[in-house]
Structures are given as C-alpha cells and as structure tokens.
Amino acid sequence: IQICKDAFHVSPCSFSSPDSVEDELELSAVRHRPEGLEQLEAQTRFSRKELQILYRGFKNECPSGVVNEDTFKDIYAQFFPQGDASTYAHFLFNAFDTDHNGSVSFEDFVMGLSILLRGTVQEKLNWAFNLYDINKDGYITKEEMLDIMKAIYDMMGKCTYPVLKEETPRQHVEVFFQKMDKNKDGVVTIDEFIDCCQNDENIMRSMHLFENVL
Amino acid sequence: MAAGVAAWLPFARAAAIGWMPVANLPMPVAPAEKNKRQDELIILNVSGRRFQTWRNTLDRYPDTLLGSSEKEFFYNEETKEYFFDRDPDVFRSVLNFYRTGKLHYPRYECISSYDEELAFFGIVPEIIGDCCYEEYKDRKRENAERLMDDQEDNKDAKLPNMTFRETMWRAFENPHTSTMALVFYYVTGFFIAVSVITNVVETVPCGSAPNQKEVPCGERYTVAFFCMDTACVMIFTVEYLMRLFAAPSRYRFMRSVMSIIDVVAILPYYIGLVMTDNEDVSGAFVTLRVFRVFRIFKFSRHSQGLRILGYTLKSCASELGFLLFSLTMAIIIFATVMFYAEKGSSSSKFTSIPASFWYTIVTMTTLGYGDMVPKTIAGKIFGSICSLSGVLVIALPVPVIVSNFSRIYHQNQRADKRRAQKKARLARIRISKTGSSNAFLHSKRNGLFNEALELTGSTEDEKRLSKSTSLLESQHHHLLHCLEKTTVSVLALSHILNHEFVDEQYYQQSYLEGGLQNYPSRSPSLSSQDGVTGTCCTRRTKKHHTPLPNASAPAHMQPLTHTHTHPQGLQELSTIHIQPLSTSRSSLNMRVDEPAPLNCQSSQITTAIISIPTPPVTTPEGDAHLPAGPTHQNVVKVSAL
C-alpha cells in the first residue's frame, strides 16, 4: 500500500537533501493528505460515512496528517491511565506502520482498522501474529513473547489481581508456548499460531468482540 | 478524557485484539450498541447567530451544559435548534473549547461578562489554556481589587448603633467622618510639625554672648525647648492611648507599624525623664534623642503619598534585596582589587580593604567626592571599571521599583477618582430609576383601569384603555394586588384621590406601592346594604358600576374611620380619600418610620365601593398593619397611584 504523495495532490513537503535549513523546516512540518475517499472506500471495508468520521477524529488529533509514535503513546496512555502503556503502544505502532517509515498516515491507520474490525478471522489472526513478531521475521520467539507480555502487564499497572509478581509474565509466556508451539522447537510460526487459535473457542469468540465498534 | 481522544476509542478497542490470543480467561461480553446513532449536526442558535457542530463534539465534555442533557431545556421544537439568549461573541470561545479542547480568553472581553458566560455554560475557568491563563488571572485580580476598593468605601457608612469606641476608631481612621475627627487630625498634624521643627531648631547655633563660644539654641533656651517637647509628647501620648483604647483589636494595633512609630517617637522623652544626668549614660541619652526624628514618620497617617511609597518599598522588597546584594558583592570585589592595586603607591589612602569600601561606594554611585583617589595606573584602570559597572548595577532594579510604584500610585488615583465620581454616578442612577419606577406605576395604574373597565364591561371607557400593558406587566400588577389584599387591613372607608404625583423619595423608598384598588362590587347585596349600614362610616354610594376615573373630588374630605363590619360579614371600602398634605401612605410595603409628604398637585381618583367578603377575624390583624400613623389613626393610608 503505497502512499503516493505527489501523485494526486500537491503535497507541500519535499524530501530533498536535508542539509539546508529550509529542508529541515519542511521535514518538521510534513504534511500529508490521504488518497481520495473513493480509493479508501475501495481498499477498506468501511463505508464512506465511516471513513469520514474516522478521518475527522484523526485529523483533529493530528492536524499534520500523520501520527508519530509519541502521539500514539499519548493517546494510548489516556485510555489506560492506570499503568504504562508506552511499550505496548510502541509495538502497536510498529504493527500499524506497515511501510516502516516511522509515521502512521491515515491510510495505514484505516487499513489496520479495516482488518481489525471488519476482517476475517484469518486476517485478524494474521495481524495479531504480526504484532507479536517484533522483528518481523516470521517467527515468534520466547523473548519476543516475553516483551509483549510484559508490555501488556505494564498497561495494567498495579491494578492486577492477583498482585503482579516478577515471574508472572514469564509463566504466562510458558503457558502460551505450551499451547501454541506444537513441534516444540521454541518458536511459533504463523501456521501453528493460526491453527491453534482456530481450535480455541475462547479466542475465536473474542475475535468477534469488537466488531460493532464504529 | 481529552477531547479528540474520544474519537480514537474505536482504534483502542480494535487494538485490543492483540491481547486476545494470550488471554487467560474468556473475554466479557461487549456492550450492545442500542441505537446506532449516526453523528448528526446540531444547530446552536445564540442570539441569532447560528453555530453548527457535531453532536459528538459537544458530548466530549459531559459535565457541562452543552454536553449534558441540560441543553434539552433550551431546545426549540419549531425550529429544531437550541436557542440560547446569550452573548454570541463569548460563545465563540466556549464552542471552540469543545472543538479543540482548549479554552481561550479573548483579551478584549470584559472579565466579568466572560466569567458569567462560563458559569452559565458550566465550564470551570481553571481549564483556560496556558496561553491565556495569566492574562485571565491578572484581569480577575484587578477587578477584584477594584471591587474591594468600592466595598471599602461602603464600609464607611455609619452603622446605626456604634459604640463610642467604634465611633472613635472610625474617627481616627477616616478624618472626614466628623468635624471632631477633622479637628483632631489637623491638631496632631500641627503638633508633629512643631515637634520636628523644634528638634531641628534646637541644634541651630543662636547668637552668643561675646565671651562665650556659640551655643546651640537648645542649650540657651533649655526651659523653653523642654516645655515645647513636653507639650508635644503629652499630645502624642494622649493620642496613642486614645487609639489604643479605640482599637478593635488591641494586640493587632500594637503590632502595626504606625503604632510602633508612635511609641518610638515618644519613648526617648520618657527614658530621658527616668534617667538621671549621669555622665556614663549621657552618651546613650544623646543617641536616644536621635530617635525623636521618627516623629516625622507620623506624618504618614496624614499623607497618602508617603503611605504609597512605604507600600511600594514593601512590595519591591525582593528587588531591593537583589540590589543590595549585588551592590555588596561588587563593593567587596572592587574594594579588594583597589586595595591591592594601590598597595604599592606611597601615602595611599587605601589603608585597608574596609577603607577601600568607602572609595568603592562613592565611585559606584558616581558621587566621586575625591577624598580618596587612586594614583597607580592599575588603580586608575580598575577605578574606571568600578564606576562604569556601578552605573549598570544600580540602574537595573530601579525600573522595576519605579514601575511598581507607578502601578500602585495609579491604582490609588483611580480609586480616589472613582470615589469622587461615585456620588454623581449614584445621583444619576437614582434619577433614571425614578423614571423607570414612575413608568412602572403609570403602567400599573393603566393596568388597574384596564381591569376595572374589564370588570364593568363599560365600552366607552374601553377606548381609554391603553393597550400597552403587556401580559407580563398585568401579571406583575396582579401579583402586587394579591400582596396588598393579603396584608392590607380591610378597614374603613376613605377616599382615594386621583393623583399624579411625583415624589422621588417616596417612590424610591416604597417601590411596591400598595393601593386599595377599585373593583366595583358585583355583589347585589351592596345596594341593599346601603340602608342597613349606619352612618358611622362615610361612604360614597354611587360608585358601583362606574369607576369614575375622573370623578370630581368628593366634597367632604373626611378621614377614614374605623373598621366596619356588616351583619353579613361584609366589609366595604368606599372611595378612599387621600388627604393632601397628609402623610398618607399605604400601610403595606413601607417603612413606618419614614413617611414622606406627598405633593399632591392635581386631580383625584375616586374608587368604587369594594365589597370584600372577609371574615371579621381579619380586623385585628388589619389593625396591626396600620402604621402608627403620625396623623391619623384608623386611616388606611393608601398610596397614590
């Protein structure tokens, strides 16, 4: 999913040599306009009205048209005030930022949302795997899972019940790996993951939980 | 939760899918969306200016008027919009708050009107953004100070019963309250001046005998000066004791600056009386006499400028402290440098570092007495650096102090000006209020006529109806009548004269005029009662159906007499006569102690008999309502209308 900055609209940003002062200013004031509504409508599973609502919220919070990681973290921190959501937000950011350019534009955002809210279970599981696979190499290792787990527990802060102990994330990871890692090779591949999740009723049910959002 | 973040809730919920595969327990059921309401535009009509916004925007702050269901009270069904009868300019800021999450305070807006609007829309002013918060707080503080100034002036009003002590204190604090206070003020001022001049003249050398050296006047005319001093000190002592007696809080008074100055001013005298003429302590005694100069500070009670200066210095304490500190630092540095620079030269005056202090101070303040000058080249170089830096160091804090003084001084000027303008302003306000209350009474009278004529149904008089009485006014008049009916004692008969007076004071004091109104009685029994009732009460009998707005004055202007109850329990009031030049007043709504004379100039209104079926029980109450009238007992004093 390419973002054609110069194809459709006159975009005032230019990525020429970052040596001169003016270029620095332009870089810092990057503006991005999304593709037209019709394209987005075609590429995602949202209706026109829904896209409008999404974009208005997006643009209100990020007038420049792109979200950077700090804003992501801020937003997430406001939803989860009791703990520290920044690590998880970091992983989320990387999951949303599909072209890895350090910023999430509206297209990225809406594509991600489209999968998460309106996608098939397969797509959702795929997306979740992508989230867990931090280095995007196709395998989830125990360390990656531990990082994710710690991030999730961090979000809860001190309000976990029972009280969080140091080994709780590790134990949780062990449980997860026992469930998911069929061939016990220490990593979870995408197929193992999808298979296992499809056989787990709880997980399947929870995948449909947020479908009526928006 | 902040404004725009609510729009990101779908995203946050969607991202929760990341937790699902690792969850330990099954997830709870999601809340069902009962009515998927699409976001709609709502129209806010503020005094004719239409603002439109999404409903969701307003819902971001549910604890305000616009964000809660409170706005439904303002919904207009016909036009399908929310109408607010408020200032549209301020509303702009309010609405922007919803849109952007930041509340801004426009500089051109009056602070109290802005506060009112915020209070109306349920927004706490503390969330004003940092960009505008300081300005807001400054303006608010200024306004509060101004109001406090005005309130302090009101405090000067004499309370009805003040003890002697309080009167005295008030006289001391504000000399303009009474003549005695003014006299006292000037007398003390005079004696302060006398005392100070005496102290000064004491040291002037008077002419001397040819064989003696010149002696100061103090030693030549010892007795005279001593008497003068004694007199002044006695006056000051008496004054201090009186103030101490009158002070509401003696402890606080004794701690205040002025009282300390007073004490310091008179203490040396007493100490001098007590001490003997001992050689040892005479040196200390001489020192004490220096403190007599503090008497000059007593003038600060008399001069507002001095007080302002003192207040300024107090409020700039930190700047002064900084000045002092930096000067001290510079002095020490330069004195040291100069000392070592001049150490080499012979017969140098810079004998030690403290001795160099004097040179440094004199140079930095650009005085340059010339009693100590550097001779070496190094000394001269450092000396010039010293004088240049002195100018800078002193010049820095001075503008701050000056601006503080200027601000406080102007504030005081403004306060004085406001006080002076206040009287004129109040007078003008009073006049305009009179005009409006006259208009009110005029319309009320018309309202009466309207009602009366409606009741009688007489058509030709309807032409005289002024149609200008609005529904609000007629309801207001009706309300006043109800009050009158409740309270007025249905007493005897008197005659209302048709009045058109304008008595300013009268109107001001009793805004709600009572008046016995004229409703022609519908009771058929009245006519039959004419014969039954005795002649104890005078009444006009021809009044039943015509209110006779311009009927001529009845010939006999007799006062109302007593309550009169009919066998049927009816009481009647006939035409009520207001006697000119009498203090006729309504028995209601009016302070008994202040009757004002009426200026009846012209015609009179007559009223019909009012037959009111009231139980006789009301009579004693009614009596109670009667004013202990100065001139008439049992006269229902009615207001003129």
Side-chain angles (χ1 to χ4, degrees):
Chain A
I1 301 144
Q2 290 301 323
I3 301 162
C4 314
K5 287 198 178 72
D6 35 352
F8 297 90
H9 306 275
V10 176
S11 175
C13 68
S14 69
F15 290 89
S16 53
S17 69
D19 292 305
S20 57
V21 175
E22 294 94 337
D23 285 334
E24 271 183 26
L25 286 177
E26 282 185 41
L27 275 177
S28 65
V30 72
R31 293 271 179 275
H32 173 70
R33 293 203 184 106
E35 307 172 14
L37 203 47
E38 292 79 13
Q39 265 111 321
L40 283 178
E41 222 184 329
Q43 286 165 358
T44 65
R45 297 193 185 89
F46 288 121
S47 74
R48 212 181 159 83
K49 255 195 143 31
E50 289 165 340
L51 281 174
Q52 282 179 341
I53 295 176
L54 277 175
Y55 188 67
R56 268 190 249 124
F58 186 86
K59 180 90 177 172
N60 216 11
E61 196 64 23
C62 317
S64 59
V66 292
V67 199
N68 54 9
E69 195 167 326
D70 291 327
T71 323
F72 231 67
K73 288 185 176 164
D74 271 339
I75 292 169
Y76 233 67
Q78 301 207 12
F79 283 109
F80 302 98
Q82 72 263 33
D84 174 25
S86 51
T87 333
Y88 189 73
H90 168 75
F91 294 134
L92 258 186
F93 186 80
N94 288 339
F96 266 95
D97 186 14
T98 41
D99 51 358
H100 308 290
N101 61 351
S103 62
V104 170
S105 66
F106 184 63
E107 284 93 343
D108 295 335
F109 180 68
V110 109
M111 298 291 182
L113 274 190
S114 165
I115 295 176
L116 287 174
L117 298 179
R118 305 281 161 92
T120 64
V121 174
Q122 181 91 357
E123 286 173 344
K124 289 182 190 174
L125 290 174
N126 220 334
W127 197 91
F129 185 85
N130 197 29
L131 174 71
Y132 297 148
D133 186 11
I134 297 178
N135 54 0
K136 316 285 179 233
D137 61 353
Y139 300 102
I140 305 179
T141 64
K142 277 205 179 148
E143 287 71 29
E144 288 172 343
M145 205 57 228
L146 187 58
D147 284 338
I148 301 270
M149 201 62 73
K150 276 216 271 246
I152 294 179
Y153 273 91
D154 279 344
M155 261 200 298
M156 277 299 291
K158 301 277 176 285
C159 312
T160 51
Y161 176 76
V163 174
L164 178 68
K165 295 195 285 278
E166 266 308 308
E167 331 70 73
T168 315
R170 192 169 288 277
Q171 285 171 354
H172 204 146
V173 170
E174 291 299 327
V175 167
F176 177 78
F177 261 75
Q178 269 179 6
K179 206 165 43 146
M180 298 279 167
D181 191 8
K182 289 289 155 37
N183 56 1
K184 303 294 175 217
D185 58 352
V187 293
V188 177
T189 63
I190 178 100
D191 304 308
E192 286 175 341
F193 182 73
I194 292 182
D195 271 335
C196 184
C197 289
Q198 278 175 339
N199 294 334
D200 187 333
E201 265 195 36
N202 280 340
I203 296 182
M204 292 311 287
R205 202 183 8 239
S206 62
M207 282 292 141
H208 299 284
L209 206 53
F210 296 110
E211 270 172 7
N212 59 348
V213 167
L214 203 70
Chain B
M1 216 156 58
V5 180
W8 290 72
L9 185 58
F11 152 72
R13 296 183 71 199
I17 285 194
W19 315 331
M20 302 303 151
V22 297
N24 281 336
L25 303 168
M27 294 290 134
V29 181
E33 296 245 329
K34 289 176 278 284
N35 45 347
K36 256 196 93 177
R37 207 180 46 181
Q38 287 287 30
D39 203 3
E40 39 162 344
L41 276 179
I42 65 175
I43 304 176
L44 302 164
N45 185 349
V46 182
S47 301
R49 216 197 287 185
R50 279 187 175 70
F51 297 87
Q52 292 186 347
T53 183
W54 298 108
R55 189 173 281 274
N56 279 355
T57 313
L58 295 182
D59 288 341
R60 286 177 191 160
Y61 296 98
D63 57 346
T64 58
L65 186 151
L66 290 174
S68 63
S69 58
E70 195 182 343
K71 63 177 183 281
E72 302 302 326
F73 287 100
F74 297 93
Y75 187 66
N76 186 346
E77 293 292 343
E78 294 114 43
T79 53
K80 299 251 179 296
E81 60 188 18
Y82 294 87
F83 182 75
F84 296 96
D85 202 7
R86 309 292 297 189
D87 186 2
D89 288 326
V90 180
F91 188 75
R92 233 174 26 92
S93 309
V94 169
L95 194 52
N96 274 338
F97 164 64
Y98 287 90
R99 292 182 180 136
T100 63
K102 294 204 206 72
L103 181 62
H104 294 281
Y105 169 62
R107 271 150 222 253
Y108 56 82
E109 201 66 56
C110 166
I111 185 78
S112 25
S113 86
Y114 190 73
D115 268 342
E116 274 173 23
E117 296 297 314
L118 285 189
F120 179 82
F121 286 105
I123 297 177
V124 182
E126 268 60 38
I127 53 176
I128 290 183
D130 286 336
C131 40
C132 303
Y133 192 62
E134 233 181 87
E135 168 89 13
Y136 173 79
K137 273 293 172 206
D138 281 344
R139 298 271 295 262
K140 200 151 180 192
R141 191 172 36 87
E142 259 181 54
N143 204 33
E145 281 174 5
R146 205 170 293 152
L147 286 177
M148 248 178 37
D149 277 348
D150 286 342
Q151 267 188 9
E152 271 178 15
D153 296 342
N154 291 344
K155 275 198 314 213
D156 283 344
K158 191 172 163 67
L159 307 166
N161 32 347
M162 283 190 352
T163 68
F164 174 64
R165 191 170 147 190
E166 285 171 353
T167 330
M168 245 172 77
W169 181 249
R170 224 177 104 243
F172 281 138
E173 290 299 297
N174 189 353
H176 297 285
T177 48
S178 68
T179 331
M180 269 310 293
L182 211 54
V183 163
F184 182 77
Y185 177 78
Y186 282 124
V187 160
T188 44
F190 172 71
F191 271 100
I192 295 175
V194 159
S195 164
V196 169
I197 292 175
T198 313
N199 287 347
V200 166
V201 167
E202 238 182 358
T203 60
V204 172
C206 294
S208 61
N211 54 347
Q212 280 180 318
K213 66 176 175 58
E214 286 230 344
V215 291
C217 284
E219 288 178 21
R220 197 150 161 209
Y221 302 104
T222 321
V223 176
F225 279 106
F226 182 72
C227 290
M228 195 85 92
D229 205 21
T230 312
C232 292
V233 168
M234 266 177 25
I235 302 264
F236 296 151
T237 316
V238 163
E239 181 206 350
Y240 179 71
L241 289 175
M242 281 191 349
R243 275 184 207 263
L244 189 61
F245 166 69
S249 157
R250 298 217 170 100
Y251 177 62
R252 205 159 53 95
F253 171 72
M254 282 177 59
R255 278 193 319 177
S256 73
V257 175
M258 287 311 301
S259 91
I260 292 180
I261 291 179
D262 288 340
V263 167
V264 170
I266 58 180
L267 217 44
Y269 176 81
Y270 289 112
I271 295 183
L273 278 185
V274 166
M275 276 189 345
T276 60
D277 215 349
N278 203 339
E279 281 302 315
D280 298 333
V281 294
S282 67
F285 180 61
V286 166
T287 321
L288 269 180
R289 291 174 81 101
V290 167
F291 281 97
R292 290 187 308 173
V293 80
F294 271 76
R295 288 177 197 168
I296 206 172
F297 284 115
K298 284 165 72 76
F299 265 128
S300 55
R301 274 215 185 90
H302 298 252
S303 154
Q304 202 187 26
L306 257 182
R307 274 204 301 271
I308 294 179
L309 190 61
Y311 183 62
T312 310
L313 289 177
K314 196 166 61 148
S315 70
C316 303
S318 65
E319 277 83 28
L320 284 175
F322 165 69
L323 177 62
L324 212 57
F325 177 68
S326 57
L327 268 181
T328 312
M329 253 179 33
I331 286 172
I332 294 178
I333 292 175
F334 279 109
T336 314
V337 167
M338 290 305 296
F339 171 70
Y340 282 113
E342 286 287 305
K343 204 160 175 203
S345 82
S346 57
S347 73
S348 140
K349 293 245 177 74
F350 295 80
T351 50
S352 65
I353 293 187
S356 314
F357 280 167
W358 173 244
Y359 168 76
T360 320
I361 292 176
V362 166
T363 313
M364 279 184 91
T365 52
T366 70
L367 278 175
Y369 287 134
D371 53 348
M372 283 164 83
V373 284
K375 296 208 176 59
T376 61
I377 296 184
K380 288 191 175 153
I381 291 175
F382 286 119
S384 39
I385 297 177
C386 173
S387 63
L388 286 175
S389 64
V391 170
L392 283 176
V393 168
I394 292 182
L396 283 176
V398 169
V400 177
I401 299 173
V402 165
S403 76
N404 252 354
F405 178 78
S406 163
R407 181 177 59 89
I408 296 173
Y409 183 71
H410 283 306
Q411 243 176 35
N412 253 310
Q413 293 289 80
R414 265 206 313 266
D416 286 343
K417 212 169 26 166
R418 258 206 315 277
R419 238 170 280 146
Q421 289 171 346
K422 204 169 168 177
K423 280 195 170 164
R425 214 169 131 235
L426 281 181
R428 264 181 271 131
I429 289 178
R430 226 190 355 242
I431 292 177
S432 72
K433 269 209 183 125
T434 312
S436 72
S437 54
N438 275 351
F440 174 74
L441 286 166
H442 190 75
S443 75
K444 187 166 178 240
R445 182 163 56 117
N446 290 339
L448 297 180
F449 285 152
N450 293 351
E451 288 163 11
L453 289 175
E454 277 168 23
L455 288 178
T456 58
S458 154
T459 46
E460 71 262 15
D461 288 319
E462 272 183 35
K463 296 190 203 110
R464 302 169 45 85
L465 275 184
S466 59
K467 300 284 183 197
S468 58
T469 325
S470 70
L471 178 63
L472 181 67
E473 287 174 18
S474 50
Q475 283 180 345
H476 191 189
H477 300 160
H478 173 250
L479 184 64
L480 295 176
H481 294 164
C482 293
L483 180 61
E484 292 159 19
K485 290 288 181 275
T486 316
T487 56
V488 81
S489 80
V490 203
L491 282 205
L493 326 168
S494 69
H495 307 270
I496 297 182
L497 293 185
N498 194 352
H499 247 308
E500 267 159 353
F501 71 52
V502 176
D503 185 328
E504 179 179 310
Q505 214 175 352
Y506 173 85
Y507 274 113
Q508 275 195 311
Q509 284 162 351
S510 56
Y511 186 71
L512 291 181
E513 304 300 323
L516 291 176
Q517 303 314 322
N518 322 323
Y519 294 103
S521 155
R522 295 185 199 241
S523 150
S525 59
L526 190 58
S527 41
S528 64
Q529 283 168 18
D530 281 1
V532 174
T533 60
T535 53
C536 48
C537 36
T538 58
R539 58 180 197 274
R540 318 263 91 221
T541 49
K542 329 187 198 319
K543 334 74 187 164
H544 307 272
H545 306 291
T546 51
L548 307 172
N550 281 328
S552 59
H556 39 283
M557 322 227 289
Q558 283 178 5
L560 292 176
T561 55
H562 46 272
T563 315
H564 172 105
T565 54
H566 290 271
Q568 293 89 338
L570 289 178
Q571 293 175 330
E572 54 176 20
L573 309 155
S574 77
T575 60
I576 302 194
H577 175 198
I578 293 183
Q579 304 200 334
L581 306 181
S582 69
T583 61
S584 311
R585 292 295 214 101
S586 135
S587 60
L588 359 140
N589 309 327
M590 157 198 117
R591 290 197 293 263
V592 175
D593 51 349
E594 291 182 83
L598 305 174
N599 303 339
C600 323
Q601 278 138 1
S602 55
S603 43
Q604 306 143 338
I605 43 175
T606 52
T607 67
I609 294 185
I610 302 166
S611 185
I612 302 168
T614 45
V617 177
T618 58
T619 317
E621 293 160 9
D623 278 330
H625 286 285
L626 267 189
T631 48
H632 308 277
Q633 298 86 1
N634 298 337
V635 173
V636 176
K637 302 198 163 143
V638 301
S639 73
L641 282 193

